[in-house]
């Protein structure tokens, strides 16, 4: 539990979308429409028995991602779907190792550890997972699965290059491991063009298995708690069985509202609006970090929520974060994004800076303060 940082503190610590990125009026209108049209179903248990989720919602998600709706399982947020998936994949493969990008999403790390997996990190480069390191490790063993966030990664902002996506799929086919691609930020691109979804690179006759996790939290509403796995019908049904024995069924009202929003143009117009709102914040954040913290920026993300920094300061992480807090900046602990088995560098510190929820002026002000904090420690932030 972290103490309330107080009203004047700038929060660089959480990835919650700002209210202006949630189309709450349209959500309310569609909620009322669902309650008018299908009130009884909304307040009843959904069907029990390998229930994959609201059929209309899966139909719409299938069209949205151009995948077979029968291969989609919808749960209560993608983190929960990941939790169900991990137990399935560990059981299926018999392996205990999960390989992840280092750094990666801290809550995913917690999920893997809770399931007793041995989590091994593979470094992230400015163009994504270091595939050469992965290839080298495969000579000594195979993981149950490789977990990647290929687009505007949480926490670095890095996007995996097309050539690396191809190499990863080839390795998965050759060594028989599953790729879990978590893509909540994919549609939030502010510049440039997107590389192919990893699942699209699979040779139809090849053996590579890619399971893609999607979420409506970033493009519609995190409060609806709609996340889903896109895999194959067998995996989708296995997830549904696990879900049923865990929480019986998802929330029908939320799924029906999401289906209506996808059927109209609410999701697409919400994506357009979010990109319009966040593009200037991204550009200003990159400019602020470059001007005050120079080479600390790992990459220019061109999308998503996060900038990743590597700061060279002569202070340990606790001291750095405490000094930042004393100067009014709440930061997430960068080491929490690395698997515990990873050696933590002592001369540099990783930092994740969410730029999406602060206006550009506040962000720049925070970076100014951060640069001042860094200057206290050996006078260099570069
Ligand atoms: C990479 C990644 N996966 C999953 C999630 C959780 O998403 P959801 O709200 O769908 O559970 C997040 C949220 O921050 C995330 O960054």
């Amino acid at each position: 539990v972290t103490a309330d940082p107080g009203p004047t503190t700038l929060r660089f610590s959480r990835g919650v979308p700002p209210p202006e990125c949630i189309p709450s009026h349209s959500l309310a209108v569609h909620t009322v429409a669902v309650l008018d049209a299908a009130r009884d179903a909304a307040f009843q248990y959904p069907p029990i028995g390998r229930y994959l989720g609201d059929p209309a919602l899966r139909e719409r998600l299938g069209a949205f991602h151009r995948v077979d709706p029968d291969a989609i399982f919808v749960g209560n947020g993608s983190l929960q779907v990941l939790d169900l998936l991990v137990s399935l994949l560990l059981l299926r493969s018999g392996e205990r190792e999960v390989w992840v990008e280092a750094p990666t999403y801290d809550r995913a790390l917690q999920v893997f550890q809770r399931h007793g997996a041995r989590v091994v990190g593979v470094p992230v480069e400015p163009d994504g997972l270091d595939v050469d390191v992965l290839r080298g490790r495969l000579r000594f063993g195979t993981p149950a699965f490789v977990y990647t966030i290929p687009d505007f990664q949480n926490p670095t902002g890095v996007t995996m290059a097309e050539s690396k996506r191809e190499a990863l799929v080839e390795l998965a086919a050759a060594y028989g491991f599953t790729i879990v691609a978590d893509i909540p930020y994919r549609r939030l691109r502010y510049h440039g063009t997107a590389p192919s979804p990893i699942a699209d690179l699979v040779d139809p006759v090849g053996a590579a298995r890619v399971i893609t996790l999607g979420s409506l939290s970033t493009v519609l509403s995190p409060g609806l708690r709609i996340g889903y796995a896109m895999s194959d019908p067998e995996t989708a049904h296995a997830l549904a069985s696990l879900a049923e024995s865990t929480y019986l069924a998802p929330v029908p009202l939320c799924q029906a509202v999401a289906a209506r929003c996808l059927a109209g143009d609410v999701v697409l117009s919400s994506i357009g609006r979010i990109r319009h709102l966040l593009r200037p914040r991204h550009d200003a954040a990159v400019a602020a970090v470059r001007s005050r913290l120079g080479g600390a920026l790992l990459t220019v993300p061109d999308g998503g929520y996060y900038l990743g920094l590597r700061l060279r300061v002569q202070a340990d992480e606790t001291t750095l974060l405490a000094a930042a807090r004393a100067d009014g900046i709440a930061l997430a602990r960068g080491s929490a994004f690395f698997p515990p088995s990873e050696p933590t560098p002592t001369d540099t510190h990783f930092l994740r800076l969410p730029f999406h929820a602060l206006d550009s002026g506040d962000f720049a002000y925070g970076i100014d303060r951060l640069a001042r904090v860094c200057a206290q420690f050996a006078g260099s932030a570069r």
Side-chain angles (χ1 to χ4, degrees):
V1 179
T2 45
D4 181 353
T8 59
T9 297
L10 284 173
R11 277 181 174 274
F12 281 114
S13 44
R14 279 200 72 192
V16 176
E20 59 273 28
C21 286
I22 301 173
S24 38
H25 179 73
S26 301
L27 284 159
V29 168
H30 284 291
T31 305
V32 171
V34 169
L35 292 175
D36 276 346
R39 187 173 309 149
D40 290 346
F43 293 123
Q44 180 55 281
Y45 279 121
I48 300 294
R50 307 212 307 169
Y51 180 65
L52 297 176
D54 182 318
L57 175 58
R58 288 190 297 106
E59 201 63 47
R60 294 294 167 185
L61 287 171
F64 190 61
H65 289 281
R66 296 203 199 97
V67 300
D68 173 11
D70 290 339
I72 300 179
F73 164 79
V74 191
N76 303 310
S78 60
L79 189 66
Q80 184 184 58
V81 178
L82 179 65
D83 186 79
L84 297 172
L85 189 60
V86 174
S87 39
L88 187 70
L89 294 182
L90 290 178
L91 205 71
R92 215 183 235 176
S93 77
E95 305 286 346
R96 297 311 298 169
E97 280 198 7
V98 172
W99 294 3
V100 302
E101 291 155 339
T104 190
Y105 179 36
D106 51 347
R107 291 191 195 278
L109 285 175
Q110 290 162 15
V111 168
F112 303 149
Q113 285 161 340
R114 195 169 63 239
H115 284 280
R118 203 178 100 70
V119 187
V120 176
V122 178
V124 177
E125 301 177 299
D127 63 349
L129 185 77
D130 190 331
V131 179
D132 290 334
V133 169
L134 184 92
R135 191 180 286 111
R137 298 240 177 101
L138 284 166
R139 283 193 274 128
F140 304 102
T142 314
F145 62 91
V146 169
Y147 172 74
T148 174
I149 306 163
D151 305 286
F152 315 124
Q153 198 230 22
N154 180 4
T156 58
V158 160
T159 290
M160 196 189 297
E162 185 85 14
S163 59
K164 287 191 165 183
R165 293 172 189 240
E166 287 164 359
L168 181 60
V169 167
E170 276 169 25
L171 289 171
Y175 289 88
F177 62 85
T178 299
I179 300 168
V180 176
D182 193 1
I183 62 163
Y185 305 104
R186 181 171 170 85
R187 299 298 291 261
L188 307 186
R189 174 171 282 280
Y190 316 130
H191 300 289
T193 50
S196 309
I198 292 180
D200 286 9
L201 298 172
V202 174
D203 176 348
V205 288
R209 185 202 288 267
V210 179
I211 300 176
T212 306
L213 294 177
S215 174
L216 295 188
S217 293
T218 45
V219 294
L220 182 63
S221 153
L224 283 181
R225 307 307 302 132
I226 304 287
Y228 43 98
M230 298 176 279
S231 51
D232 52 84
E234 188 208 339
T235 303
H237 280 112
L239 287 171
S241 296
L242 274 175
E244 190 174 313
S245 62
T246 311
Y247 55 85
L248 283 180
V251 183
L253 177 59
C254 294
Q255 296 216 346
V257 172
R260 282 188 66 103
C261 288
L262 276 161
D265 72 343
V266 180
V267 174
L268 284 182
S269 62
S270 168
I271 292 172
R273 192 177 138 76
I274 295 168
R275 292 171 66 189
H276 180 74
L277 279 165
L278 298 190
R279 185 181 297 123
R281 289 188 193 178
H282 164 276
D283 295 355
V286 168
V289 170
R290 276 187 168 152
S291 95
R292 297 296 284 121
L293 294 166
L297 188 62
L298 294 180
T299 189
V300 176
D302 285 341
Y305 286 175
Y306 303 109
L307 298 185
L309 266 61
R310 200 163 264 297
L311 292 176
R312 188 167 294 282
V313 287
Q314 285 174 9
D316 62 34
E317 188 179 52
T318 304
T319 308
L320 176 69
L321 264 56
R325 183 165 281 263
D327 216 355
I329 319 165
L331 296 168
R333 188 168 280 275
S335 56
F337 299 102
F338 289 83
S341 58
E342 283 303 288
T344 316
T346 47
D347 56 337
T348 61
H349 298 297
F350 172 73
L351 276 190
R352 180 189 75 171
L353 296 183
F355 58 80
H356 61 299
L358 289 175
D359 79 36
S360 301
D362 283 349
F363 188 95
Y365 184 61
I367 294 301
D368 232 45
R369 287 195 199 172
L370 182 59
R372 208 167 61 194
V373 170
C374 291
Q376 288 171 30
F377 301 109
S380 171
R382 286 157 202 253

